[in-house]
């Protein structure tokens, strides 16, 4: 639960936050208010599922499919998005269903923000897919956003932010 700890300390101090972490084997959704976890769900769709789909649809080995998934190769981006569109839509719907369930269970509790974390978040376009379905402020995690760092490192820090959420939580 290191990811949840980082989400509580960095984002949910005085807010209700839906923290979504896309891991290799699955996606974890935690809804946190301050220091209290109010909801948790695991979804069996993670980065490996996207990699396997890319490998199958593009006739590649999984190692090459993983490289394609996390690369910013704009020449292949449309082909990759086409390959993973079903999985991406499925994941976005399952996240949306989790949010709706939470809202039904706690109708008085408003989710202020959704934080997305994991190595697959940025290249897959999950933020954009979720924005079409969920009425909520959505942000890609950046554990370094509040850090006092050299301005020349800000861009690299933003790229690493969603990858290191769990590591930072373990360190806290």
């Amino acid at each position: 639960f290191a990811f949840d700890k980082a989400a509580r300390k960095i984002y949910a101090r005085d807010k209700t936050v839906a923290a979504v972490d896309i891991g290799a084997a699955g996606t974890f959704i935690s809804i946190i208010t301050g220091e209290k976890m109010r909801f948790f769900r695991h979804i069996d769709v993670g980065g490996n599922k996207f990699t396997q789909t890319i490998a199958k649809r593009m006739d590649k080995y999984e190692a090459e499919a993983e490289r394609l998934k996390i690369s910013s190769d704009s020449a292949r981006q449309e082909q990759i998005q086409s390959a993973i569109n079903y999985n991406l839509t499925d994941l976005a719907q399952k996240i949306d269903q989790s949010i709706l369930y939470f809202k039904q269970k706690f109708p008085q509790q408003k989710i202020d923000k959704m934080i997305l974390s994991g190595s697959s978040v940025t290249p897959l376009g999950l933020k954009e897919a979720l924005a079409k379905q969920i009425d909520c402020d959505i942000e890609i995690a950046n554990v370094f956003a509040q850090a006092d760092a050299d301005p020349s490192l800000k861009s690299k820090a933003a790229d690493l932010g969603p990858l290191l959420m769990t590591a930072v939580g373990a360190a806290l």
Side-chain angles (χ1 to χ4, degrees), residues 94-144:
K94 287 177 178 176
I95 293 170
D96 186 37
Q97 288 169 354
S98 297
I99 300 298
L100 290 173
Y101 175 80
F102 175 81
K103 287 179 178 179
Q104 288 174 347
K105 188 120 173 116
F106 302 98
Q108 74 287 359
Q109 193 71 53
K110 177 185 176 286
I111 295 174
D112 299 301
K113 185 180 286 197
M114 181 180 292
I115 306 300
L116 305 177
S117 181
S119 63
S120 298
V121 167
T122 304
L124 294 178
L126 182 60
K127 178 180 177 182
E128 294 77 12
L130 285 169
K132 293 176 185 173
Q133 290 189 247
I134 298 173
D135 183 27
C136 181
D137 182 23
I138 302 172
E139 176 180 320
I140 294 177
N142 182 357
V143 296
F144 303 111

Side-chain angles (χ1 to χ4, degrees), residues 29 41 43 45 89-99:
I29 303 170
R41 180 174 183 206
I43 299 171
V45 178
T89 301
D90 182 44
L91 180 58
Q93 287 174 345
K94 287 177 178 176
I95 293 170
D96 186 37
Q97 288 169 354
S98 297
I99 300 298

